[in-house]
Amino acid sequence: MKHWITALLIATQLSAIPAYSIEVEETKVPSANSHGMKKKVDELMSQMTFEEKIGQMNLLSIGFDVTGPVVSQDVDQKIKKGLVGGVFNTFTPAAVRKLQEIAVNQSRLKIPLLFGYDVIHGHRTIFPINLGLSCSWDPELIERTAQAAAKEASADGLNWVYSPMVDIARDPRWGRVSEGSGEDPHLGSEIARATVRGYQGKNHDNADTVLACVKHYALYGAAEAGRDYNTVDMSPVRMFNEYLPPYKAAVDAGVATVMTSFNEINGVPATANKWLVTDVLRKDWGFKGMIATDYTAVNEMVAHGVGDEAKVTELAINAGIDMDMVGELFIKHGAVLVKSGKVSEAQIDAACRRVLEAKYKLGLFHDPYRFISEERRKKELMSADKLQLSKEAAIKSMVLLKNAKQVLPLSTQQKVAFIGPLVKDQRNLIGAWSGAGDWKQATSIWQALDTKFGAGKFLYSKGCNILDDDRMIELLNLNGAMLQRDEKSPQDLIKEAVATAQQADVVVAVLGEPFIFSGEAASRSMIGLPDNQLDLLKALKATGKPVVLVLMNGRPLTLPWENENLDAILETWFGGTKAGDAIVDTLFGDATPSGKLSITFPVNVGQIPIYYNAKNTGRPFVPREKFHTQYLDVSNQPLYPFGYGLSYTTFEYDEPKLSQSTMRSAETITVSTRVKNTGKRAGVETVQFYIRDLVGSITRPVKELKHFQKVELKPGEEKVVEYKLTVDDLKFYNSDLKYAAEPGDFEVFCGTDSSNLKKAKFTLM
Ligand code: NOJ
């Protein structure tokens, strides 16, 4: 609580800072590849004291947000002494200028600061949560959202964003599944690349790009039991084939910085993991940029049990970490560690150099104020094009999970009752980790209905509170959930809703999770709708009216009753600033859902972890037979598989055709399939291609996504979709961690989702 108050005080002080009128002219920044960078950094380092070098490795938090139990103190003084390399949680040109001026005018060597921030799914204009965005299966769209976020962030004084988060997650209990791109390494890698391209652009010539930071390196999403920060224990083969690819994809795309993760991996915390940080990331993958820890992650290694403060500092620096986020142990213990020979001076020099290089690449030595422009801020923040993009992204992220008897889209001729605590809600729409987003600027469903159709056209009833559990409400409100129980009793709320439903032709229930059920330290052990919401749904169902469930949530939910009993289910995630407009357009058919799940929805928690690219086991499932892999009380199948998502139209696939049935490693096989729109409306289908390696030196998954392509089809239209499969698609890391394809038989599948596929066979010679 104390920390929140401190943070608030700092925020208040910052917002009181007067805006400066000096504008900095845009001039061309020297190329980072030029001789210039080395020369500048050498020159600076030759003048730096040891303390100043370690100072560059110190990353402090000052300003609006706190994401850990510690708050940085006396930041101004430390900046003056040259003991700070960068800060985060401060933005707006005025606030950034104030700190940058201290660094540039009052510190001995005038080294400018980095300004970082958690720009996760948009900065001021908020896009759908990342899990939602990933369901668009549209890297080009995602690149545009990152580009828009970079424009806003850089116009707000920032030059470094802590994104993309690319942790593969197969456990929906983990609250941070909402921040990533789901369970699949191929889709996750495509999205990682696109996001890095979006944030960083081609170079930093224009000050509207920022440094990206891929996180959390590594395997943070594999926390045991989905409990945040928990232990990760994983075979190297699994790491390399299933969890590491998206981090590597970000590195290959040129990501400038990396953040290590809180978790341990096979007994060694990631932040002390020399093998992971230096051997894999720097040496094998050739990463040349800067590596920061997560929030106080160095200090937290004391609790992990790998040493006292001095020891964990030694471990982190020697692992190859360049910046210590908030913990300040590098500046506390660095000098003694070097004196005693436990850390070499060369290690400190290398880290300091990488921090300075990041600043050079941003052009900060050329102009420390180049990200500070009130004029750009006015132009970029929440501009019309970005709001339009927010709506487009929300539409493309929605996944239609069920649509019995084509109850959707709705017609304006019908009398529609909108029921639920999220119909008029704005706060939850922008989700958790919505950076500098302002929920008051988000459009609720109810506002969108008014705008589109004029006020008073629809029936409304609140129906229930988002949550009724007092203990939970109190806990969540401590962290800013803003949850309030209605004055009316739950019974009265339901009674009213039933009366409203009875007057309607169709009921749209808007339900889900409060935003604060997602994000950091927000794991759940049960992942259904809260009981009071389910009670409401049951009462609505009992009216006999068709019920459409519109969901807002940050993770896969268990929805067996809902799937069985309701007529339609539209998953909208937390859709961002323009979510309301996007949902209304989709409900009434001005937009057609095209999203596909990037993560499996289990039937119940007992099935977790459940993911599509599983192994076969020696006793694959056989119905009604014992001694085969199965549960007695639930099917092995998920409720909704990876890749699943309906449209308002239907698509039909042919068997895949192969250009040849054998392949040498230098050859390509063209896999093609004819896809036809067999419904009455135009629609977009994501055609998915998977392979299976039938025999390997190690066991291989029953399916692996290798390619996907979007195709837009008018009613009755058909197109042939082609994919050129190469030997690279068949490679995997074997037990020696050698990346190679093994000759033998393969299956190739195509279809509409991971459990609805047609197949062909070929042989790699
Ligand atoms: C902790 C989170 O794990 C990380 O994602 C975030 O970037 C940092 N805090 C900074 O806020």
Side-chain angles (χ1 to χ4, degrees):
M1 193 60 190
K2 192 167 127 244
H3 304 309
W4 282 98
I5 293 168
T6 318
L8 266 175
L9 285 175
I10 299 168
T12 323
Q13 285 158 17
L14 282 174
S15 54
I17 296 167
Y20 289 76
S21 55
I22 322 153
E23 289 304 334
V24 175
E25 244 180 69
E26 277 299 319
T27 52
K28 200 156 169 60
V29 170
S31 149
N33 299 324
S34 71
H35 248 24
M37 179 158 84
K38 183 163 182 323
K39 197 166 154 249
K40 174 75 195 173
V41 174
D42 283 349
E43 199 178 283
L44 255 182
M45 285 186 61
S46 69
Q47 301 168 56
M48 290 172 90
T49 62
F50 180 79
E51 279 67 33
E52 283 165 338
K53 287 180 186 168
I54 287 245
Q56 288 302 308
M57 299 166 71
N58 199 25
L59 173 59
L60 298 185
S61 162
I62 175 169
F64 306 98
D65 281 313
V66 194
T67 56
V70 174
V71 177
S72 307
Q73 304 292 334
D74 300 328
V75 181
D76 290 16
Q77 287 309 315
K78 287 173 186 156
I79 297 174
K80 277 185 203 161
K81 290 187 189 150
L83 294 181
V84 183
V87 296
F88 65 108
N89 288 334
T90 293
F91 53 91
T92 73
V96 167
R97 179 178 290 277
K98 178 180 171 268
L99 295 178
Q100 195 67 303
E101 280 184 340
I102 300 178
V104 172
N105 299 331
Q106 300 184 44
S107 75
R108 195 178 72 91
L109 290 173
K110 309 183 182 332
I111 300 174
L113 297 167
L114 291 171
F115 286 88
Y117 193 55
D118 286 292
V119 172
I120 307 294
H121 49 110
H123 179 58
R124 298 278 184 172
T125 307
I126 301 300
F127 302 109
I129 56 165
N130 307 79
L131 184 63
L133 279 175
S134 69
C135 291
S136 70
W137 291 49
D138 191 339
E140 186 272 335
L141 168 79
I142 293 170
E143 182 172 342
R144 282 189 285 134
T145 64
Q147 200 174 49
K151 284 192 171 165
E152 286 191 337
S154 61
D156 224 359
L158 298 165
N159 48 40
W160 184 23
V161 296
Y162 300 151
S163 175
M165 187 278 219
V166 303
D167 307 320
I168 294 291
R170 293 167 165 179
D171 193 328
R173 290 173 294 185
W174 192 47
R176 301 194 81 169
V177 288
S178 64
E179 288 172 53
S181 295
E183 72 188 37
D184 181 59
H186 177 74
L187 180 61
S189 298
E190 292 285 326
I191 293 175
R193 276 189 280 271
T195 316
V196 171
R197 284 195 301 268
Y199 287 133
Q200 297 192 164
K202 287 206 177 69
N203 51 49
H204 291 282
D205 277 0
N206 301 319
D208 63 0
T209 57
V210 290
L211 301 182
C213 179
V214 67
K215 66 188 190 184
H216 306 82
Y217 186 71
L219 321 181
Y220 184 35
E224 278 178 1
R227 184 157 49 77
D228 209 0
Y229 319 121
N230 207 5
T231 306
V232 174
D233 202 293
M234 190 185 285
S235 75
V237 157
R238 171 165 276 186
M239 276 183 215
F240 277 85
N241 285 316
E242 299 164 34
Y243 280 78
L244 292 180
Y247 307 101
K248 179 164 189 305
V251 170
D252 292 344
V255 74
T257 72
V258 172
M259 187 188 295
T260 58
S261 54
F262 287 126
N263 52 284
E264 68 160 79
I265 297 168
N266 301 348
V268 183
T271 302
N273 206 316
K274 189 166 186 197
W275 169 76
L276 199 66
V277 172
T278 295
D279 297 347
V280 176
L281 179 58
R282 289 205 199 279
K283 293 194 184 142
D284 293 354
W285 297 355
F287 177 65
K288 302 250 175 323
M290 185 183 90
I291 302 174
T293 69
D294 203 342
Y295 208 104
T296 56
V298 182
N299 317 54
E300 290 169 25
M301 293 198 290
V302 174
H304 272 288
V306 291
D308 60 10
E309 272 192 1
K311 181 69 190 175
V312 295
T313 310
E314 173 194 330
L315 290 172
I317 299 177
N318 284 340
I321 306 282
D322 304 319
M323 276 196 132
D324 172 9
M325 187 190 284
V326 180
E328 303 200 61
L329 289 189
F330 287 8
I331 52 169
K332 187 166 170 198
H333 295 282
V336 175
L337 288 170
V338 169
K339 251 184 225 134
S340 64
K342 290 188 171 136
V343 167
S344 71
E345 208 162 340
Q347 189 83 327
I348 303 294
D349 279 355
C352 171
R353 175 174 293 277
R354 288 188 284 254
V355 178
L356 295 175
E357 284 176 352
K359 296 180 178 185
Y360 186 92
K361 286 178 197 157
L362 285 166
L364 292 177
F365 291 115
H366 177 73
D367 175 1
Y369 303 107
R370 66 191 298 260
F371 294 91
I372 301 175
S373 158
E374 283 295 345
E375 201 182 303
R376 277 196 57 224
R377 186 166 190 263
K378 271 185 221 124
K379 180 176 148 238
E380 297 291 356
L381 265 43
M382 302 197 81
S383 58
D385 57 325
K386 296 191 186 70
L387 293 174
Q388 186 52 38
L389 181 59
S390 164
K391 180 174 169 187
E392 179 190 346
I395 289 172
K396 291 181 172 168
S397 300
M398 284 181 219
V399 186
L400 183 62
L401 298 174
K402 180 173 179 186
N403 195 16
K405 298 192 212 118
Q406 306 283 297
V407 60
L408 288 178
L410 304 170
S411 138
T412 43
Q413 307 306 311
Q414 290 169 299
K415 210 166 185 200
V416 187
F418 282 83
I419 293 179
L422 292 168
V423 174
K424 295 188 175 178
D425 180 87
Q426 289 169 281
R427 173 57 194 95
N428 289 284
L429 287 180
I430 64 168
W433 274 62
S434 26
D438 176 4
W439 60 265
K440 293 189 202 94
Q441 306 215 33
T443 316
S444 71
I445 293 183
W446 195 245
Q447 288 163 335
L449 286 168
D450 278 2
T451 311
K452 194 173 172 87
F453 301 108
K457 295 267 184 344
F458 299 94
L459 300 166
Y460 167 76
S461 209
K462 183 171 170 189
C464 66
N465 298 302
I466 298 184
L467 290 178
D468 262 350
D469 175 344
D470 285 331
R471 187 201 64 89
M472 179 83 92
I473 292 174
E474 194 194 331
L475 182 71
L476 297 176
N477 281 348
L478 282 177
N479 291 316
M482 297 167 44
L483 292 165
Q484 268 180 342
R485 290 185 57 164
D486 202 278
E487 284 161 10
K488 291 178 194 151
S489 72
Q491 295 75 10
D492 285 350
L493 286 170
I494 290 186
K495 232 187 256 163
E496 263 179 29
V498 166
T500 307
Q502 269 153 353
Q503 299 167 48
D505 301 321
V506 53
V507 174
V508 177
V510 188
L511 299 171
E513 297 181 295
F515 77 93
I516 206 151
F517 268 15
S518 297
E520 195 174 344
S523 299
R524 296 180 70 196
S525 71
M526 305 294 280
I527 55 170
L529 284 176
D531 288 347
N532 61 321
Q533 297 193 23
L534 206 52
D535 291 344
L536 169 67
L537 280 176
K538 288 180 178 164
L540 295 174
K541 164 80 183 166
T543 63
K545 305 283 178 174
V547 180
V548 174
L549 173 61
V550 171
L551 285 172
M552 295 182 189
N553 49 285
R555 55 160 60 75
L557 299 175
T558 48
L559 303 162
W561 184 90
E562 294 84 336
N563 182 59
E564 183 76 33
N565 291 284
L566 304 178
D567 299 276
I569 306 179
L570 181 65
E571 174 60 81
T572 73
W573 309 108
F574 295 115
T577 310
K578 298 303 277 178
D581 297 297
I583 293 169
V584 168
D585 274 15
T586 306
L587 288 175
F588 287 90
D590 291 325
T592 299
S594 60
K596 301 275 190 174
L597 294 179
S598 61
I599 188 164
T600 304
F601 274 45
V603 175
N604 65 21
V605 169
Q607 287 184 320
I608 298 170
I610 181 168
Y611 46 92
Y612 85 95
N613 47 351
K615 301 290 184 71
N616 204 30
T617 82
R619 295 184 177 185
F621 175 70
V622 179
R624 306 171 65 79
E625 276 190 23
K626 200 169 164 63
F627 304 117
H628 291 272
T629 185
Q630 64 185 322
Y631 297 103
L632 296 176
D633 54 351
V634 68
S635 144
N636 289 356
Q637 296 309 309
L639 187 62
Y640 307 119
F642 173 80
Y644 173 81
L646 304 171
S647 169
Y648 290 158
T649 188
T650 44
F651 301 100
E652 182 189 274
Y653 282 72
D654 271 0
E655 307 289 329
K657 290 205 177 71
L658 306 188
S659 57
Q660 55 198 71
S661 57
T662 58
M663 174 185 179
R664 287 176 201 288
S665 64
E667 291 175 345
T668 298
I669 291 188
T670 304
V671 186
S672 58
T673 182
R674 189 190 56 95
V675 186
K676 183 172 183 187
N677 181 342
T678 48
K680 294 195 180 68
R681 300 173 64 94
V684 173
E685 167 72 335
T686 302
V687 181
Q688 302 166 33
F689 293 91
Y690 298 79
I691 63 137
R692 178 173 184 185
D693 187 349
L694 287 165
V695 178
S697 60
I698 57 170
T699 59
R700 308 293 301 122
V702 291
K703 266 163 235 167
E704 292 172 90
L705 180 73
K706 289 295 165 182
H707 181 72
F708 54 90
Q709 199 174 315
K710 290 196 168 286
V711 53
E712 196 170 346
L713 294 169
K714 298 194 191 77
E717 193 185 4
E718 55 182 59
K719 282 186 186 157
V720 174
V721 178
E722 278 186 4
Y723 149 51
K724 294 203 182 314
L725 185 150
T726 73
V727 73
D728 284 343
D729 296 325
L730 311 178
K731 289 183 177 162
F732 63 95
Y733 290 90
N734 65 19
S735 50
D736 299 326
L737 297 185
K738 199 168 152 246
Y739 190 59
E742 295 177 356
D745 292 339
F746 289 81
E747 289 174 340
V748 56
F749 310 84
C750 65
T752 188
D753 67 59
S754 65
S755 63
N756 205 340
L757 297 167
K758 298 195 161 155
K759 79 175 171 202
K761 282 191 173 191
F762 67 93
T763 306
L764 176 68
M765 309 295 281

